[in-house]
Amino acid sequence: MLRNAFEDDIARIENGNFERSGMAGYLASVPTAPDDAMGPCERMSTPSRRPWPDLGPAWVWGASSSDSLGERLLGQRMLDLYRGSFDGERTEERIIPTARMCAALTRGADLLVLLLPSGGTSVLRHISMVGFTRGNTPEGPLQSLSGGDPLPSAVLMAPERLANPWLAAETLLHEGAHLKLFDALRAGAVTTTSGHLVPIPWRRSPWKLIRVLVALHFYAHMMVFEAAVEQAGAQVRREFGQPPAIGSVDEPSPGTEAAAAGTHRTSAERARYLAEYVLAMPAGCLTEDGHRFVQWLLSVLRLTMTEPPAGPVGGTPGEPPARNGVLSSPRELAPERAYDKVQPVEAFALPDLGQLVAVSPGTSRFHWLNAHSWMIYALCDGRPVGEVESAYARSLGLSAQSSRTREAVRRGIAELAAAGLVAGS
C-alpha cells in the first residue's frame, strides 16, 4: 500500500502537483508497530499465515481485524486497491482462505521450487501477498492475476487453482514472473512505442506492445516449467501425484481466429507467435534494454522448444541487422572475402545441448549458437567465405556447389557478423 501511495506521489510531482502526499497520510495513520516483523496490513489479517516463510515474507490475506481508526482506514484502502485491480471488470468479493487452501498453496510453492530451484525461488520472493477471489472477465472466468499499479507485489487467484500442486505451482510461476518483470520495469523501459497495438489471435482485443513482452516473458518461463515437469522423476511424482497434461493453456476467447481454427492452444504456439511478431517489428520499437531482454527470452525459447521462433542467431529485434558496416544479407557476402572471430570473445560449450554460448566482455551480451552456427563460427578463422562453404559441406557430407549449402553458410556468417562475433577483412 505504501508503494502504491509512493508511486502516486511521484506521478503527482511529475505533473507539478505538490499540494498533498498520499504516502504521508498513510504513514500518519499507521498504528505503532510491535516488533513482530509484520507489516500493518498483514497484522490485520487473521489468522496469520505465511505460505513459504523460508523464502520470503509473503502472507495470505485472511479475514480482516481492525481495532483502531488507523487500521480501519488501512483496511478500507486495501479493499479499494483490491477492487481497482480488476480494471472495471465485475468481480465478487474476495474469498477468505481455509487452512486447507493455505496448505495447498504451500504445497504448490514447494513443488515449484523443487522443479525450478533458482527460478521458482526468485519469483516467489517478488510475491508479498496472496489473496483469493472469483470473478468474470471479458475473456472468461478469472483464473489468477498479479497486482500491478493498484496492488503491487500481490497475487490474486481463484481457489480452483489449488486443485492439485502442479496447477498451483504453475499459477505461482505465472503470476510471480509477472511481478518480477513488473518490478524490473520500475527501473527501466523496454519499449519506445508502448501504445503500439498488436493483434492477438486468441483474444478479442489487441494488446499493447508492453503486454506482448510481458506475455512472452511468461511463456518463456512456461516452456522451462513444462520441460521440468516432463523430466520430474518418480520420487517427485510419488510425493505430488501425477502431473496433468502439460502444454495446453486457457482456451482462446470465443469468436476469435484461434477459436475458429483450433490453434494457439499451447504455450509453445503462443510463445512462437509473440516472439516472431517481436522479431518482425520495425526498427526503433525497443530500447537498448528491450533488445537485450528479448534476446534473452529468445535464447530460452531456442533451448526449450523443438521448433523455436524463426529469427536470426544473435540478431537484434526491432533494429536493422547491419552492425559496424557489416551487412547481414547473405547476398552481400563475396566468396573471396575472409572472416575471422572478433576478439576478445569468451565462449563455452554445452555439448549435451549442441550449443555454444559466446559473450563479448565489452558488451556482456550472450549469444546462444546452435550446432549449425557453432560450426560456421569455428570455421571463421580468417579463411574466405568460399573456403568456409567447402569445409562446411565436407563436414556434413553435402555438396559445396549446392545453392542451399551456400545460402545456409552465408546467412550464418551474416548473422554472426550482425551479432558482432565475426568480422570481414
Side-chain angles (χ1 to χ4, degrees):
M1 287 178 56
L2 289 177
R3 174 170 163 178
N4 172 269
F6 172 73
E7 292 182 353
D8 280 351
D9 282 355
I10 294 296
R12 289 193 185 99
I13 292 172
E14 288 176 336
N15 288 281
N17 184 349
F18 306 99
E19 295 180 1
R20 56 185 292 270
S21 166
M23 186 173 180
Y26 286 117
L27 289 173
S29 65
V30 171
T32 302
D35 187 19
D36 58 7
M38 288 195 294
C41 294
E42 180 185 0
R43 194 173 297 111
M44 292 187 296
S45 177
T46 57
S48 176
R49 292 191 175 100
R50 290 195 171 186
W52 42 86
D54 295 336
L55 299 178
W59 54 281
V60 180
W61 194 6
S64 294
S65 172
S66 54
D67 299 325
S68 67
L69 175 60
E71 287 181 333
R72 287 194 291 274
L73 291 173
L74 286 175
Q76 184 56 52
R77 178 56 177 164
M78 192 160 180
L79 284 173
D80 291 342
L81 294 177
Y82 158 78
R83 295 183 181 114
S85 299
F86 296 92
D87 195 24
E89 299 162 349
R90 185 184 69 82
T91 181
E92 300 177 11
E93 289 301 308
R94 68 187 188 90
I95 296 169
I96 306 301
T98 64
R100 185 174 181 178
M101 290 168 60
C102 292
L105 180 67
T106 298
R107 192 163 167 77
D110 290 343
L111 176 57
L112 175 59
V113 173
L114 185 62
L115 294 172
L116 302 175
S118 178
T121 299
S122 178
V123 299
L124 289 177
R125 286 176 176 155
H126 287 263
I127 303 175
S128 296
M129 186 271 285
V130 179
F132 295 92
T133 187
R134 284 193 184 93
N136 294 307
T137 74
E139 307 294 351
L142 174 70
Q143 302 293 330
S144 64
L145 62 87
S146 46
D149 292 313
L151 204 57
S153 73
V155 168
L156 301 172
M157 67 172 73
E160 290 74 16
R161 304 300 292 181
L162 302 174
N164 64 70
W166 302 89
L167 186 58
E170 176 190 317
T171 304
L172 289 171
L173 176 64
H174 180 168
E175 303 304 346
H178 283 338
L179 290 177
K180 182 174 182 178
L181 181 57
F182 179 79
D183 288 345
L185 292 177
R186 310 320 277 172
V190 293
T191 73
T192 58
T193 54
S194 59
H196 177 75
L197 295 179
V198 179
I200 304 299
W202 59 93
R203 291 292 179 256
R204 294 193 186 99
S205 302
W207 288 353
K208 290 183 177 180
L209 178 57
I210 186 61
R211 185 175 178 183
V212 168
L213 297 177
V214 168
L216 182 58
H217 179 250
F218 157 65
Y219 284 120
H221 279 75
M222 275 303 298
M223 297 308 301
V224 176
F225 179 77
E226 290 174 7
V229 171
E230 286 184 344
Q231 296 175 22
Q235 183 176 346
V236 175
R237 294 168 187 259
R238 281 194 300 270
E239 182 178 353
F240 294 95
Q242 289 297 319
I246 61 172
S248 60
V249 287
D250 59 315
E251 288 292 316
S253 300
T256 61
E257 172 188 334
T263 59
H264 299 91
R265 295 172 181 268
T266 68
S267 299
E269 285 180 294
R270 295 184 182 184
R272 187 178 300 106
Y273 173 83
L274 297 174
E276 290 181 350
Y277 186 95
V278 172
L279 283 166
M281 289 190 308
C285 291
L286 302 178
T287 66
E288 183 177 352
D289 288 336
H291 295 310
R292 288 198 293 268
F293 173 61
V294 170
Q295 200 60 50
W296 170 64
L297 296 180
L298 291 173
S299 72
V300 173
L301 296 179
R302 291 187 183 112
L303 285 171
T304 56
M305 295 176 65
T306 54
E307 297 181 16
V313 176
T316 306
E319 268 191 353
R323 296 282 187 85
N324 300 322
V326 180
L327 297 176
S328 69
S329 170
R331 289 184 294 273
E332 302 290 338
L333 303 183
E336 65 276 6
R337 188 173 188 185
Y339 280 82
D340 205 347
K341 299 175 185 66
V342 172
Q343 299 296 335
V345 168
E346 297 178 3
F348 57 95
L350 302 173
D352 292 343
L353 299 174
Q355 301 269 347
L356 179 75
V357 182
V359 58
S360 171
T363 64
S364 296
R365 291 187 177 181
F366 285 79
H367 304 281
W368 299 75
L369 309 184
N370 60 20
H372 161 76
S373 299
W374 184 357
M375 179 179 292
I376 295 173
Y377 179 67
L379 292 172
C380 287
D381 54 5
R383 70 183 81 188
V385 172
E387 292 185 17
V388 174
E389 293 170 358
S390 298
Y392 179 90
R394 283 196 303 272
S395 298
L396 298 180
L398 302 174
S399 170
Q401 306 306 315
S402 166
S403 59
R404 292 187 62 181
T405 301
R406 290 198 302 272
E407 175 75 11
V409 171
R410 296 187 188 192
R411 183 170 297 280
I413 294 175
E415 290 169 355
L416 291 168
L421 297 177
V422 301
S425 58

